[in-house]
Amino acid sequence: MGKTLDVITIGRSSVDLYGAQIGGRLEDMASFNKYIGGSPTNIAAGTARLGLKSALITRVGDEHMGRFITEELQKEGVDTRGVVTDPERLTALVLLGIRDQEQFPLIFYRDNCADMALCEDDIDEGFITQARSVVATGTHLSHTRTEAAVLKALNIARANGMQTALDIDYRPNLWGLSGHGDGENRFIASDKVTAKLQSTLHLFDLIVGTEEEFHIAGGTTDTIQALRNVRKVSGATLVCKRGPMGAVAFTGDVPDTLDEGQSGPGFPIEVFNVLGAGDGFMSGLLKGWLTDQDWPTALTYANACGAFAVSRHGCTPAYPSWAELEFFLKRGVKEKALRKDQELEQVHWATNRKGDWSTMRVFAFDHRMQLEDLDGATPDKIGTFKELCLEACAEVAGGNPGYGLLCDSRLGRDALYKAAGTGLWIGRPVEWPGSRPLTLEPEIGPDFGGLNEWPLEHVVKVLCFYHPDDTPEMKAEQEATVTRLFHACRRNRLEFLLEVIPSKAGPVGDDTTAQVIRRFYDLGVYPDWWKLEPMKTEAGWQNAVAAIEENDPNTRGIVVLGLGAEDSALKESFEVAAKYPLVKGFAVGRTIFAEAAKGWMTGALTDAEAVAQMKDNYARLCGYWDAARGEE
């Protein structure tokens, strides 16, 4: 039977809370970024990013943090059938900081945590044998119950001709050798730990560790002798990580020096954060190993992935996609501080975005002044109406993918709250309605710091009335605002949608929108999404699409706006736009809600009648798009 998985990792799973401030003590950290963590969890995500079909066996708590880990893994493409929800224990937490280029304090919160309750009953032979390989990490050999689970998985793997690997992943305080405040310590000699590791090393085809980790596995601080001691009990390929000097592989007898092993090139980069670097390295190594590359190639992948990891904040978020790794290996190092390499960071961001939004049927009810101008409208009534819009949107979507909404937070706050976690794509405007030059809603703040409060699932949408023939002063002011907003979005890990409507600022031709698009790319603005008015000609669409594709091959795509057009006009515009794969769908508002809003605000329509009317309009437009795309 064919294998459905390339690799299953087993062991630790935690939520990493990374100090957001750099260069201070962990005691002084004021805020933290939340990521998935734990060596096997990181490796599962890292290998998935590189295109392997990965799965994880672990336990998480039956609470918000446990669900966070499971959901994040699913977004990364990791199979989570082996993630067991523990009803009694909490998910492990780790607090981490970047003190300087050499000190990276961390505290493990793992007292009776969920993943340490992993047991033999959690290991399903049918699941294990769906994979080509099993990867274990050292911590889960430290406790009788978790060791039994790991050994069961390894024995199943070996009995079925699968490949097995060990990342030694030695953390002395997780073996009970030092206190809670000593999480940063990577080596304490222990005969007990050495004996435990050596009792399992014969089960592996690949063993990976730093020099210090081979010291604990081999029972001596002489690295060559330690490797030879491991070789005495295991025929595995031994891969020894040497920090900035790269890594070496030994497939047979261990020679007299590390330099005699097989190696791949290292990368001269600036070290920013060593935490999680080994898991990134292991992900790249597994990519090479499991795709039958030679060891120099596998070590090249591994060294590059480790370089990415030490250059960025966080563990899993730092790891590359396969497209990013290929790009980096082809282009090379241009900026030693990789996180400051704008070209590379754009590839990293764009190829690691989560969610399939290849179809976009968006109900836009982010309008503010159009609703405020209606007879009978008040801020409270507008807010309630936007909840009705959300109800109509959700009912048409029916839990299916490819649907979304645009809603503001000034008048539509409660609708935004209710939309969270529904699976709908959520866009949220920041422009002050009708402003030209562009100004932003007060909630964004003069320093754009308000974006720090936004949920990560919200997409920042800004409408800019920009025309190539604008005065230099108008251009400069609007460009400065959009550029600053774009960088604020990236800093806050928020996707960015740029809507441009040149027709409201001057006459347009076949190349007008394309000129606007190229100008913003020239400024270094790379929107995740473009929202464009319908082009009047095929040439207009061809030019706009070409302007995007020649600058950003990884863009999410284009959505077409409606401008309050009649049904027939929208249907016609969809038929033209749908010819271009880069156009993913529409974001239309007034055509859907205008009449319902008029009637509801004056009391002529009930809630149910307004929702029904909007449902009909929205569903009809969805049908137009699907038909135009040939997906009826």
Side-chain angles (χ1 to χ4, degrees):
M1 185 177 69
K3 299 289 188 178
T4 59
L5 294 169
D6 293 308
V7 57
I8 294 175
T9 65
I10 305 176
R12 284 195 288 134
S13 189
S14 64
V15 172
D16 284 358
L17 298 175
Y18 256 86
Q21 293 75 46
I22 309 302
R25 303 183 307 157
L26 193 56
E27 293 90 330
D28 298 323
M29 294 298 164
S31 57
F32 295 83
N33 291 332
K34 183 176 70 171
Y35 310 127
I36 56 174
S39 183
T41 304
N42 288 334
I43 295 169
T47 50
R49 286 191 172 189
L50 293 173
L52 295 180
K53 296 176 182 178
S54 66
L56 172 68
I57 295 176
T58 190
R59 282 195 178 206
V60 297
D62 186 14
E63 23 75 354
H64 310 77
M65 294 299 182
R67 289 190 290 275
F68 166 75
I69 290 175
T70 303
E71 291 174 10
E72 286 297 299
L73 287 170
Q74 290 167 349
K75 291 176 184 176
E76 294 285 356
V78 175
D79 188 318
T80 58
R81 287 176 291 166
V83 178
V84 178
T85 298
D86 190 313
E88 299 177 4
R89 298 169 182 84
L90 291 170
T91 304
L93 300 177
V94 185
L95 297 183
L96 313 93
I98 302 174
R99 177 68 181 85
D100 53 35
Q101 61 269 32
E102 296 179 353
Q103 300 178 77
F104 307 92
L106 67 162
I107 306 169
F108 293 98
Y109 287 77
R110 298 183 51 81
D111 185 22
N112 194 31
C113 67
D115 71 56
M116 289 304 290
L118 192 73
C119 66
E120 288 185 87
D121 290 343
D122 298 327
I123 306 301
D124 178 77
E125 182 171 358
F127 181 56
I128 294 289
T129 55
Q130 291 179 34
R132 296 168 52 215
S133 66
V134 169
V135 176
T137 55
T139 301
H140 269 51
L141 300 173
S142 67
H143 187 281
T144 303
R145 178 173 54 209
T146 54
E147 179 191 25
V150 171
L151 293 179
K152 179 180 177 182
L154 291 171
N155 286 320
I156 291 170
R158 295 188 69 80
N160 286 275
M162 299 163 58
Q163 294 172 284
T164 57
L166 172 69
D167 187 332
I168 299 171
D169 184 38
Y170 182 44
R171 300 283 186 171
N173 71 340
L174 298 186
W175 286 80
L177 299 178
S178 61
H180 294 308
D182 195 36
E184 191 176 1
N185 191 334
R186 296 303 180 100
F187 183 76
I188 295 176
S190 168
D191 292 340
K192 178 181 177 182
V193 175
T194 298
K196 176 61 68 176
L197 290 173
Q198 291 207 349
S199 72
T200 66
L201 296 182
H202 65 285
L203 296 172
F204 298 100
D205 302 305
L206 172 65
I207 298 173
V208 181
T210 62
E211 290 190 54
E212 291 82 3
E213 287 169 339
F214 275 106
H215 293 168
I216 194 67
T220 174
T221 55
D222 180 324
T223 301
I224 295 296
Q225 188 58 51
L227 287 163
R228 287 173 172 169
N229 290 347
V230 171
R231 173 61 73 230
K232 290 176 184 178
V233 295
S234 175
T237 295
L238 309 180
V239 173
C240 183
K241 297 180 285 188
R242 306 176 68 190
M245 298 175 68
V248 288
F250 303 100
T251 57
D253 292 341
V254 178
D256 292 334
T257 66
L258 293 178
D259 293 336
E260 295 176 70
Q262 296 186 64
S263 64
F267 299 92
I269 50 88
E270 176 187 287
V271 174
F272 175 67
N273 169 35
V274 302
L275 300 172
D279 304 333
F281 177 96
M282 188 68 170
S283 298
L285 190 71
L286 290 170
K287 172 68 174 181
W289 186 48
L290 295 174
T291 56
D292 300 319
Q293 305 299 316
D294 58 27
W295 284 111
T297 301
L299 289 167
T300 299
Y301 293 170
N303 290 338
C305 290
F308 282 120
V310 301
S311 301
R312 292 169 173 155
H313 197 262
C315 299
T316 292
Y319 302 156
S321 66
W322 177 241
E324 179 185 359
L325 180 59
E326 287 186 304
F327 172 85
F328 178 70
L329 292 177
K330 180 179 180 180
R331 194 210 62 173
V333 177
K334 286 192 174 181
E335 161 64 68
K336 288 187 176 182
L338 297 185
R339 69 190 183 282
K340 297 179 181 178
D341 183 328
Q342 293 186 4
E343 184 181 27
L344 183 62
E345 285 297 287
Q346 169 59 23
V347 176
H348 177 67
W349 169 269
T351 59
N352 285 303
R353 285 180 298 230
K354 303 302 180 287
D356 175 10
W357 295 109
S358 53
T359 299
M360 291 282 284
R361 312 174 191 90
V362 177
F363 181 3
F365 49 91
D366 57 327
H367 303 68
R368 283 142 287 170
M369 63 182 181
Q370 293 93 337
L371 290 169
E372 289 170 318
D373 289 343
L374 293 177
D375 290 341
T378 65
D380 286 345
K381 288 179 71 174
I382 294 172
T384 300
F385 180 75
K386 290 186 181 235
E387 292 181 65
L388 300 180
C389 293
L390 172 62
E391 184 179 338
C393 182
E395 289 189 20
V396 171
N400 296 308
Y403 295 86
L405 60 102
L406 277 165
C407 181
D408 66 292
S409 58
R410 176 159 54 88
L411 297 172
R413 182 193 64 182
D414 291 343
L416 278 179
Y417 285 167
K418 290 183 176 181
T422 61
L424 293 167
W425 181 91
I426 302 173
R428 182 171 162 186
V430 295
E431 77 279 353
W432 185 257
S435 60
R436 178 172 150 85
L438 173 65
T439 58
L440 304 187
E441 285 271 5
E443 66 154 326
I444 304 305
D447 61 351
F448 295 13
L451 293 178
N452 187 53
E453 300 174 1
W454 283 37
L456 294 184
E457 67 175 330
H458 287 191
V459 175
V460 177
K461 169 259 179 181
V462 66
L463 165 58
C464 185
F465 298 106
Y466 182 102
H467 195 281
D469 296 335
D470 283 340
T471 65
E473 294 77 16
M474 175 67 74
K475 284 183 178 179
E477 185 169 348
Q478 299 210 116
E479 290 170 357
T481 301
V482 171
T483 301
R484 187 178 178 191
L485 180 63
F486 165 71
H487 289 293
C489 291
R490 287 293 176 85
R491 186 168 60 250
N492 288 285
R493 296 189 288 155
L494 297 166
E495 290 192 29
F496 179 58
L497 183 154
L498 178 55
E499 177 178 4
V500 290
I501 306 183
S503 69
K504 298 294 184 181
V508 297
D510 290 343
D511 199 45
T512 306
T513 299
Q515 289 181 57
V516 175
I517 290 168
R518 288 192 178 92
R519 176 56 183 164
F520 280 108
Y521 281 126
D522 288 344
L523 293 169
V525 174
Y526 285 76
D528 301 277
W529 293 98
W530 287 95
K531 187 180 177 193
L532 304 178
E533 57 187 320
M535 307 294 162
K536 298 184 183 300
T537 65
E538 294 279 359
W541 272 117
Q542 291 169 1
N543 292 337
V545 167
I548 295 171
E549 290 181 336
E550 68 193 31
N551 283 284
D552 185 7
N554 299 309
T555 183
R556 287 279 204 185
I558 301 167
V559 290
V560 184
L561 56 93
L563 291 176
E566 297 291 332
D567 261 28
S568 58
L570 283 177
K571 184 173 184 291
E572 184 178 340
S573 72
F574 288 177
E575 289 170 350
V576 176
K579 297 176 183 178
Y580 300 91
L582 197 63
V583 183
K584 305 302 181 184
F586 64 85
V588 173
R590 281 172 289 172
T591 309
I592 300 172
F593 73 70
E595 292 303 314
K598 289 179 184 177
W600 187 86
M601 291 294 176
T602 59
L605 291 179
T606 65
D607 291 0
E609 289 169 337
V611 170
Q613 189 178 116
M614 291 189 290
K615 276 179 57 181
D616 287 346
N617 293 339
Y618 181 35
R620 188 166 57 254
L621 292 186
C622 292
Y624 290 162
W625 177 261
D626 292 345
R629 197 58 116 189
E631 299 173 354
E632 287 183 295

Short mmCIF file of all heavy atoms in Angstrom, two decimals, residues 32-68:
data_model
loop_
_atom_site.label_atom_id
_atom_site.label_comp_id
_atom_site.label_asym_id
_atom_site.label_seq_id
_atom_site.Cartn_x
_atom_site.Cartn_y
_atom_site.Cartn_z
N PHE A 32 4.64 39.70 24.48
CA PHE A 32 5.12 38.43 23.94
C PHE A 32 4.35 38.08 22.67
O PHE A 32 3.15 38.34 22.56
CB PHE A 32 4.93 37.31 24.97
CG PHE A 32 5.77 37.47 26.20
CD1 PHE A 32 5.35 38.29 27.25
CD2 PHE A 32 6.98 36.82 26.33
CE1 PHE A 32 6.12 38.46 28.39
CE2 PHE A 32 7.76 36.97 27.46
CZ PHE A 32 7.33 37.80 28.49
N ASN A 33 5.05 37.47 21.72
CA ASN A 33 4.42 36.91 20.54
C ASN A 33 4.20 35.42 20.75
O ASN A 33 5.05 34.74 21.33
CB ASN A 33 5.29 37.13 19.30
CG ASN A 33 5.36 38.59 18.91
OD1 ASN A 33 4.44 39.36 19.18
ND2 ASN A 33 6.44 38.98 18.28
N LYS A 34 3.08 34.92 20.28
CA LYS A 34 2.69 33.53 20.54
C LYS A 34 2.89 32.69 19.29
O LYS A 34 2.36 33.00 18.22
CB LYS A 34 1.21 33.47 20.97
CG LYS A 34 0.73 32.08 21.33
CD LYS A 34 -0.71 32.10 21.85
CE LYS A 34 -1.69 32.42 20.75
NZ LYS A 34 -3.09 32.24 21.15
N TYR A 35 3.68 31.60 19.45
CA TYR A 35 3.94 30.68 18.35
C TYR A 35 3.81 29.24 18.85
O TYR A 35 3.85 28.99 20.06
CB TYR A 35 5.37 30.85 17.80
CG TYR A 35 5.81 32.25 17.47
CD1 TYR A 35 7.00 32.77 18.00
CD2 TYR A 35 5.07 33.07 16.62
CE1 TYR A 35 7.44 34.05 17.67
CE2 TYR A 35 5.50 34.35 16.29
CZ TYR A 35 6.68 34.83 16.83
OH TYR A 35 7.11 36.10 16.51
N ILE A 36 3.70 28.28 17.93
CA ILE A 36 3.81 26.89 18.32
C ILE A 36 5.27 26.57 18.62
O ILE A 36 6.18 27.20 18.09
CB ILE A 36 3.25 25.94 17.25
CG1 ILE A 36 3.94 26.16 15.89
CG2 ILE A 36 1.75 26.09 17.11
CD1 ILE A 36 3.53 25.14 14.84
N GLY A 37 5.50 25.58 19.48
CA GLY A 37 6.86 25.24 19.85
C GLY A 37 6.98 23.80 20.30
O GLY A 37 6.02 23.03 20.29
N GLY A 38 8.18 23.44 20.73
CA GLY A 38 8.51 22.06 21.05
C GLY A 38 9.18 21.43 19.85
O GLY A 38 8.67 21.51 18.73
N SER A 39 10.32 20.80 20.04
CA SER A 39 11.13 20.33 18.93
C SER A 39 10.37 19.52 17.88
O SER A 39 10.40 19.86 16.70
CB SER A 39 12.32 19.52 19.47
OG SER A 39 13.15 19.10 18.42
N PRO A 40 9.65 18.44 18.24
CA PRO A 40 8.96 17.68 17.19
C PRO A 40 7.83 18.45 16.53
O PRO A 40 7.52 18.22 15.35
CB PRO A 40 8.43 16.44 17.94
CG PRO A 40 8.41 16.84 19.36
CD PRO A 40 9.50 17.83 19.56
N THR A 41 7.22 19.36 17.27
CA THR A 41 6.17 20.20 16.69
C THR A 41 6.77 21.15 15.66
O THR A 41 6.23 21.32 14.55
CB THR A 41 5.44 20.97 17.80
OG1 THR A 41 4.94 20.05 18.76
CG2 THR A 41 4.29 21.79 17.24
N ASN A 42 7.88 21.76 16.02
CA ASN A 42 8.58 22.63 15.07
C ASN A 42 9.01 21.85 13.82
O ASN A 42 8.89 22.35 12.69
CB ASN A 42 9.82 23.24 15.72
CG ASN A 42 9.48 24.29 16.77
OD1 ASN A 42 8.44 24.92 16.71
ND2 ASN A 42 10.37 24.48 17.72
N ILE A 43 9.52 20.65 14.01
CA ILE A 43 10.01 19.86 12.88
C ILE A 43 8.85 19.45 11.97
O ILE A 43 8.97 19.47 10.74
CB ILE A 43 10.79 18.63 13.37
CG1 ILE A 43 12.07 19.06 14.10
CG2 ILE A 43 11.15 17.70 12.21
CD1 ILE A 43 12.77 17.94 14.85
N ALA A 44 7.72 19.10 12.57
CA ALA A 44 6.55 18.74 11.75
C ALA A 44 6.14 19.91 10.87
O ALA A 44 5.87 19.75 9.67
CB ALA A 44 5.40 18.31 12.66
N ALA A 45 6.10 21.11 11.46
CA ALA A 45 5.74 22.29 10.67
C ALA A 45 6.82 22.65 9.67
O ALA A 45 6.54 23.01 8.52
CB ALA A 45 5.46 23.47 11.60
N GLY A 46 8.09 22.54 10.09
CA GLY A 46 9.19 22.89 9.21
C GLY A 46 9.27 22.00 7.98
O GLY A 46 9.51 22.47 6.87
N THR A 47 9.04 20.70 8.16
CA THR A 47 9.08 19.80 7.02
C THR A 47 7.86 20.00 6.12
O THR A 47 7.97 19.87 4.89
CB THR A 47 9.16 18.33 7.48
OG1 THR A 47 8.13 18.08 8.46
CG2 THR A 47 10.51 18.02 8.08
N ALA A 48 6.72 20.32 6.72
CA ALA A 48 5.53 20.60 5.90
C ALA A 48 5.77 21.81 5.01
O ALA A 48 5.36 21.83 3.84
CB ALA A 48 4.31 20.82 6.80
N ARG A 49 6.42 22.83 5.55
CA ARG A 49 6.73 24.01 4.74
C ARG A 49 7.63 23.66 3.56
O ARG A 49 7.57 24.31 2.51
CB ARG A 49 7.39 25.09 5.60
CG ARG A 49 6.43 25.80 6.53
CD ARG A 49 7.06 27.03 7.14
NE ARG A 49 6.06 27.80 7.89
CZ ARG A 49 6.27 29.00 8.40
NH1 ARG A 49 7.45 29.59 8.24
NH2 ARG A 49 5.32 29.63 9.06
N LEU A 50 8.44 22.65 3.73
CA LEU A 50 9.37 22.25 2.67
C LEU A 50 8.74 21.25 1.70
O LEU A 50 9.42 20.73 0.82
CB LEU A 50 10.64 21.66 3.28
CG LEU A 50 11.50 22.67 4.07
CD1 LEU A 50 12.65 21.94 4.77
CD2 LEU A 50 12.04 23.77 3.17
N GLY A 51 7.45 20.98 1.88
CA GLY A 51 6.75 20.14 0.93
C GLY A 51 6.60 18.69 1.30
O GLY A 51 6.04 17.90 0.54
N LEU A 52 7.11 18.28 2.48
CA LEU A 52 6.92 16.91 2.93
C LEU A 52 5.53 16.77 3.56
O LEU A 52 4.99 17.73 4.11
CB LEU A 52 7.99 16.51 3.94
CG LEU A 52 9.44 16.45 3.43
CD1 LEU A 52 10.38 16.04 4.56
CD2 LEU A 52 9.57 15.49 2.26
N LYS A 53 4.99 15.57 3.50
CA LYS A 53 3.71 15.28 4.16
C LYS A 53 4.02 14.80 5.56
O LYS A 53 4.50 13.69 5.76
CB LYS A 53 2.94 14.23 3.37
CG LYS A 53 2.53 14.71 1.98
CD LYS A 53 1.86 13.59 1.18
CE LYS A 53 1.50 14.08 -0.22
NZ LYS A 53 0.89 12.99 -1.03
N SER A 54 3.79 15.68 6.53
CA SER A 54 4.22 15.41 7.90
C SER A 54 3.03 15.27 8.84
O SER A 54 1.93 15.76 8.57
CB SER A 54 5.14 16.52 8.40
OG SER A 54 4.43 17.74 8.51
N ALA A 55 3.28 14.58 9.95
CA ALA A 55 2.29 14.42 11.01
C ALA A 55 2.99 14.48 12.35
O ALA A 55 4.22 14.29 12.43
CB ALA A 55 1.54 13.09 10.85
N LEU A 56 2.22 14.72 13.40
CA LEU A 56 2.77 14.84 14.75
C LEU A 56 1.97 13.96 15.69
O LEU A 56 0.73 13.92 15.62
CB LEU A 56 2.69 16.30 15.23
CG LEU A 56 3.05 16.58 16.69
CD1 LEU A 56 4.54 16.33 16.95
CD2 LEU A 56 2.68 18.01 17.08
N ILE A 57 2.68 13.26 16.58
CA ILE A 57 2.04 12.54 17.67
C ILE A 57 2.45 13.22 18.97
O ILE A 57 3.64 13.31 19.30
CB ILE A 57 2.46 11.06 17.70
CG1 ILE A 57 1.95 10.34 16.46
CG2 ILE A 57 1.91 10.37 18.95
CD1 ILE A 57 2.39 8.89 16.35
N THR A 58 1.47 13.73 19.69
CA THR A 58 1.72 14.42 20.94
C THR A 58 0.40 14.53 21.70
O THR A 58 -0.63 14.00 21.25
CB THR A 58 2.30 15.83 20.69
OG1 THR A 58 2.74 16.41 21.93
CG2 THR A 58 1.25 16.76 20.06
N ARG A 59 0.43 15.21 22.82
CA ARG A 59 -0.80 15.55 23.55
C ARG A 59 -0.83 17.05 23.81
O ARG A 59 0.20 17.67 24.04
CB ARG A 59 -0.87 14.80 24.89
CG ARG A 59 -1.30 13.36 24.78
CD ARG A 59 -1.70 12.81 26.14
NE ARG A 59 -2.17 11.44 26.07
CZ ARG A 59 -3.02 10.89 26.94
NH1 ARG A 59 -3.48 11.62 27.95
NH2 ARG A 59 -3.39 9.63 26.82
N VAL A 60 -2.05 17.60 23.75
CA VAL A 60 -2.28 19.00 24.11
C VAL A 60 -3.45 19.06 25.07
O VAL A 60 -4.24 18.12 25.17
CB VAL A 60 -2.58 19.86 22.86
CG1 VAL A 60 -1.40 19.88 21.92
CG2 VAL A 60 -3.84 19.38 22.15
N GLY A 61 -3.57 20.16 25.78
CA GLY A 61 -4.66 20.33 26.72
C GLY A 61 -5.99 20.62 26.04
O GLY A 61 -6.03 21.08 24.89
N ASP A 62 -7.06 20.36 26.77
CA ASP A 62 -8.41 20.64 26.26
C ASP A 62 -8.77 22.08 26.59
O ASP A 62 -9.67 22.36 27.38
CB ASP A 62 -9.41 19.65 26.88
CG ASP A 62 -10.81 19.79 26.28
OD1 ASP A 62 -10.94 20.44 25.21
OD2 ASP A 62 -11.76 19.26 26.88
N GLU A 63 -8.03 23.00 26.01
CA GLU A 63 -8.21 24.43 26.30
C GLU A 63 -7.70 25.25 25.12
O GLU A 63 -7.30 24.70 24.10
CB GLU A 63 -7.51 24.83 27.62
CG GLU A 63 -6.38 23.94 28.08
CD GLU A 63 -5.06 24.11 27.31
OE1 GLU A 63 -5.00 24.83 26.31
OE2 GLU A 63 -4.09 23.49 27.74
N HIS A 64 -7.69 26.55 25.30
CA HIS A 64 -7.40 27.46 24.20
C HIS A 64 -6.01 27.25 23.60
O HIS A 64 -5.83 27.30 22.37
CB HIS A 64 -7.53 28.91 24.68
CG HIS A 64 -8.81 29.18 25.42
ND1 HIS A 64 -9.00 28.78 26.72
CD2 HIS A 64 -9.95 29.79 25.03
CE1 HIS A 64 -10.21 29.14 27.12
NE2 HIS A 64 -10.81 29.75 26.11
N MET A 65 -5.01 26.99 24.46
CA MET A 65 -3.65 26.82 23.96
C MET A 65 -3.51 25.52 23.18
O MET A 65 -2.81 25.46 22.16
CB MET A 65 -2.64 26.88 25.11
CG MET A 65 -2.57 28.23 25.79
SD MET A 65 -2.07 29.54 24.65
CE MET A 65 -2.01 30.95 25.76
N GLY A 66 -4.18 24.47 23.65
CA GLY A 66 -4.16 23.22 22.92
C GLY A 66 -4.81 23.35 21.55
O GLY A 66 -4.31 22.83 20.55
N ARG A 67 -5.94 24.06 21.51
CA ARG A 67 -6.60 24.28 20.23
C ARG A 67 -5.75 25.15 19.32
O ARG A 67 -5.72 24.96 18.10
CB ARG A 67 -7.98 24.90 20.45
CG ARG A 67 -8.98 23.93 21.07
CD ARG A 67 -10.39 24.49 21.06
NE ARG A 67 -10.57 25.60 21.97
CZ ARG A 67 -10.86 25.47 23.27
NH1 ARG A 67 -10.99 24.26 23.81
NH2 ARG A 67 -11.02 26.52 24.04
N PHE A 68 -5.04 26.10 19.91
CA PHE A 68 -4.14 26.95 19.11
C PHE A 68 -3.10 26.09 18.40
O PHE A 68 -2.86 26.25 17.19
CB PHE A 68 -3.46 27.98 20.01
CG PHE A 68 -2.28 28.68 19.37
CD1 PHE A 68 -2.48 29.66 18.41
CD2 PHE A 68 -0.98 28.35 19.73
CE1 PHE A 68 -1.40 30.30 17.81
CE2 PHE A 68 0.10 28.98 19.14
CZ PHE A 68 -0.11 29.96 18.18
#
